[in-house]
């Protein structure tokens, strides 16, 4: 049983200077420093277990998320873990419906990122203590605002059906892993030489699915897409990602110029809030055989519900730190199953691969029961800072074998990269002054 009263919640601002190498750069976010608000929950239980949670940011603004975590802390402190998980839906709603804090959301933006960090820590702690059955999982979901598409009974039925063939799918994961694609070769800030070198290395390592960043300059995009398509050959899978750069007509026009490179999808072609815009782009690209993928900046389950209802996407991209942790991601996985839309998670960021591997492997084993048109993003950055880093074999995620949510960072890394007092930032900030 879940045990222990929450005696302490701490949060730290941890930043990695990835902008120095152009890692993570795209058409909208040209100089990201991959960062995290890093939450640690401690209890008074004798086992001494702790829960670790993160939410992902791009540098500046992490301090704002840290403030929001501290503003939510009173909902968690002195609570018994058994009471939290015993009514997890109620606890989730308590965090997301704080009568004052919800005004700066609700269920979106900084306050929701902070909610994700806190809940990720709770799940990490709970996962170290016990297993979960379908009824328990359903009890964690807040169905408010989505019952027109997914009821509690629907969710339970899907999870019950997911029990059939579960053992075989578990075996499949243990032997072959979950298919992944790489984004690490083609960040927008990389030179052609870097792109070629990384592509060559990835091909040698057995990668067959590649994503390229587009959206800043159409001629440049044509050149880079040609370069990468020539390198990987016609049989390998290519995806494109505009990171919300375009207006709706511009997206259609731009993609008609890139269609010759046979992309499987265009990701985030326009504003993540524009559901009908995504639907229009989606419809216009059907004759070109290009799908639309989105989700990494979808605020919550309601936006996903509408994207599904409007036929606005062919590939759904959950994010482990943008939505309200496992609780809200479960509701989206179940809605995607109901609409028959494949889930291909976003994982471009620090710790996102570590977290999302749990969600997508769970999706295959217990929800979708399919690998058709499904794959999970992988970026080869910053895994060395985690105690239980992801394991990739033959371009697939191998299931994590340690209990918990793989969220714990190495204390030495946290200390060195804490902002602004860690050793790494002291040096960088001093150099900027000189």
């Amino acid at each position: 049983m879940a045990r222990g009263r929450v005696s302490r919640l701490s949060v730290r601002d941890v930043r990695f200077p990835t902008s120095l190498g152009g890692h993570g750069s795209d058409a909208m976010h040209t100089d990201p420093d991959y960062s995290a608000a890093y939450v640690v929950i401690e209890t008074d239980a004798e086992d001494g277990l702790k829960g670790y949670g993160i939410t992902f940011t791009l540098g500046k603004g992490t301090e704002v998320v840290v403030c929001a975590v501290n503003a939510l802390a009173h909902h968690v402190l002195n609570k018994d873990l058994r009471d939290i998980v015993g009514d997890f839906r109620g606890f989730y709603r308590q965090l997301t419906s704080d009568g004052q804090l919800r005004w700066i959301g609700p269920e979106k933006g900084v306050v929701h990122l902070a909610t994700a960090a806190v809940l990720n820590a709770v799940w990490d702690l709970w996962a170290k203590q016990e297993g979960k059955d379908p009824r328990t999982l359903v009890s964690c979901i807040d169905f408010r605002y989505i019952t027109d598409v997914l009821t509690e009974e629907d969710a339970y039925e899907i999870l019950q059906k997911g029990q059939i063939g579960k053992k075989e799918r578990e075996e499949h994961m243990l032997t072959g892993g979950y298919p992944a694609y790489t984004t690490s070769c083609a960040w927008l800030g990389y030179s052609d030489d870097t792109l070629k070198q990384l592509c060559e290395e990835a091909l040698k390592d057995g990668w067959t699915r590649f994503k390229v960043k587009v959206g800043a300059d159409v001629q440049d995009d044509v050149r880079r897409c040609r370069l990468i398509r020539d390198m990987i050959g016609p049989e390998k899978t290519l995806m494109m990602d505009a990171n919300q750069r375009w207006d709706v007509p511009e997206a259609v026009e731009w993609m008609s110029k890139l269609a010759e490179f046979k992309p499987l999808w265009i990701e985030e072609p326009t504003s993540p809030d524009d559901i009908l815009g995504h639907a229009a782009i989606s419809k216009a690209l059907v004759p070109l055989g290009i799908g639309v993928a989105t989700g990494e900046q979808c605020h919550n389950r309601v936006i996903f519900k509408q994207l599904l209802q409007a036929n606005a996407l062919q590939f759904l991209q959950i994010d482990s730190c943008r939505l309200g942790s496992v609780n809200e991601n479960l509701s989206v996985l179940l809605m995607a199953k109901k609409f028959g839309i494949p889930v291909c998670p976003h994982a471009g960021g620090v710790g996102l691969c570590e977290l999302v591997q749990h969600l997508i492997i769970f999706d295959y084993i217990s929800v979708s029961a399919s690998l058709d048109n499904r794959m999970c993003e992988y970026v080869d950055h910053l895994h060395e800072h985690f105690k239980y880093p992801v394991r990739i074999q033959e371009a697939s995620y191998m299931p994590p074998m340690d209990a918990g949510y793989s969220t714990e960072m190495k204390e030495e890394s946290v200390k060195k990269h804490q902002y602004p007092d860690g050793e790494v930032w002291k040096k960088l900030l001093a150099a900027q002054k000189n």
Side-chain angles (χ1 to χ4, degrees):
M1 276 297 290
R3 57 198 169 272
R5 187 181 54 84
V6 178
S7 53
R8 187 162 183 259
L9 184 153
S10 62
V11 56
R12 290 190 274 178
D13 179 338
V14 184
R15 306 186 192 185
F16 299 91
T18 45
S19 61
L20 300 178
H23 311 310
S25 52
D26 62 51
M28 285 297 252
H29 315 94
T30 50
D31 59 347
D33 284 330
Y34 277 6
S35 307
Y38 182 53
V39 172
V40 183
I41 286 176
E42 297 173 42
T43 73
D44 59 9
E46 285 172 17
D47 56 22
L49 290 175
K50 295 178 183 179
Y52 299 86
I54 62 167
T55 197
F56 171 60
T57 53
L58 295 185
K60 292 188 194 89
T62 313
E63 72 280 9
V64 186
V65 183
V66 166
C67 278
V69 169
N70 284 323
L72 288 166
H74 69 281
H75 288 297
V76 189
L77 286 167
N78 299 314
K79 286 258 174 32
D80 198 293
L81 185 63
R82 191 179 299 140
D83 295 336
I84 290 174
V85 300
D87 180 20
F88 213 153
R89 182 182 300 159
F91 179 70
Y92 178 90
R93 196 174 280 192
Q94 196 183 332
L95 285 182
T96 56
S97 298
D98 178 296
Q100 296 180 3
L101 283 174
R102 84 181 296 278
W103 191 258
I104 56 168
E107 295 185 70
K108 62 174 80 76
V110 169
V111 75
H112 211 45
L113 292 174
T115 299
V118 171
L119 288 170
N120 283 339
V122 172
W123 276 94
D124 180 53
L125 185 57
W126 189 26
K128 290 168 183 168
Q129 295 189 355
E130 60 183 5
K132 325 281 173 285
D133 60 28
R135 189 65 77 190
T136 308
L137 289 173
V138 169
S139 76
C140 299
I141 299 170
D142 188 351
F143 290 91
R144 185 195 273 181
Y145 311 132
I146 60 169
T147 52
D148 49 332
V149 157
L150 184 81
T151 64
E152 197 166 334
E153 292 71 33
D154 295 336
Y156 183 64
E157 198 178 305
I158 291 169
L159 288 169
Q160 279 297 96
K161 277 186 188 156
Q163 299 291 304
I164 302 159
K166 188 177 167 180
K167 269 278 161 277
E168 291 79 357
R169 291 192 293 278
E170 280 179 7
E171 283 305 314
H172 185 167
M173 287 294 99
L174 289 166
T175 52
Y178 196 93
Y181 71 86
T182 178
T183 305
S184 303
C185 303
W187 297 114
L188 206 61
Y190 283 177
S191 67
D192 287 3
D193 286 344
T194 303
L195 195 148
K196 279 181 194 165
Q197 183 202 328
L198 292 171
C199 239
E200 218 165 274
E201 287 169 12
L203 286 164
K204 273 185 199 149
D205 289 340
W207 290 92
T208 59
R209 306 172 192 89
F210 297 78
K211 191 164 81 182
V212 58
K213 296 286 181 175
V214 297
D217 177 281
V218 74
Q219 294 320 122
D220 194 48
D221 285 350
V222 168
R223 185 181 54 76
R224 287 169 75 254
C225 289
R226 179 164 289 126
L227 195 154
I228 199 164
R229 180 49 95 188
D230 287 350
M231 283 202 72
I232 67 174
E235 299 309 311
K236 306 267 193 302
T237 306
L238 183 66
M239 287 80 71
M240 297 177 185
D241 186 357
N243 288 93
Q244 315 156 31
R245 184 64 190 251
W246 303 319
D247 276 14
V248 174
E250 189 182 17
V252 176
E253 191 187 336
W254 205 295
M255 285 314 295
S256 64
K257 289 172 184 164
L258 298 181
E260 63 174 293
F261 306 109
K262 300 277 184 282
L264 175 67
W265 75 53
I266 177 62
E267 184 172 327
E268 289 200 304
T270 192
S271 162
D273 299 344
D274 191 355
I275 289 139
L276 298 182
H278 275 88
I281 294 165
S282 189
K283 194 175 175 187
L285 295 183
V286 169
L288 298 175
I290 302 170
V292 166
T294 195
E296 74 183 71
Q297 291 218 345
C298 285
H299 300 306
N300 50 48
R301 63 198 178 281
V302 182
I303 300 285
F304 277 113
K305 176 186 83 166
Q306 293 179 51
L307 284 164
L308 290 164
Q309 287 172 316
N311 297 320
L313 78 178
Q314 283 70 49
F315 302 91
L316 185 149
Q317 298 175 307
I318 55 168
D319 182 285
S320 53
C321 297
R322 173 73 54 185
L323 294 180
S325 188
V326 179
N327 311 65
E328 193 163 32
N329 271 301
L330 279 174
S331 67
V332 176
L333 293 177
L334 291 160
M335 285 193 286
K337 168 69 176 173
K338 202 167 170 194
F339 280 87
I341 296 291
V343 176
C344 301
H346 169 246
V350 60
L352 296 187
C353 296
E354 275 69 21
L355 274 78
V356 87
Q357 60 177 337
H358 293 267
L359 299 174
I360 199 59
I361 291 172
F362 166 79
D363 180 62
Y364 170 63
I365 291 170
S366 299
V367 182
S368 74
S370 169
L371 292 176
D372 294 345
N373 258 334
R374 288 166 167 85
M375 56 188 125
C376 186
E377 183 172 30
Y378 175 72
V379 297
D380 195 10
H381 308 296
L382 307 171
H383 302 293
E384 66 275 16
H385 300 292
F386 285 81
K387 203 166 171 183
Y388 309 105
V390 287
R391 292 181 305 127
I392 296 285
Q393 279 175 25
E394 294 171 21
S396 294
Y397 277 90
M398 299 313 291
M401 303 313 284
D402 299 283
Y405 203 3
S406 310
T407 33
E408 185 176 354
M409 295 171 92
K410 292 175 180 170
E411 185 55 28
E412 186 190 343
S413 290
V414 174
K415 278 184 178 153
K416 272 172 83 169
H417 294 90
Q418 197 162 337
Y419 186 87
D421 303 319
E423 185 190 317
V424 168
W425 288 103
K426 272 186 174 163
K427 278 185 195 163
L428 280 169
L429 295 169
Q432 282 168 19
K433 277 179 189 167
N434 295 335

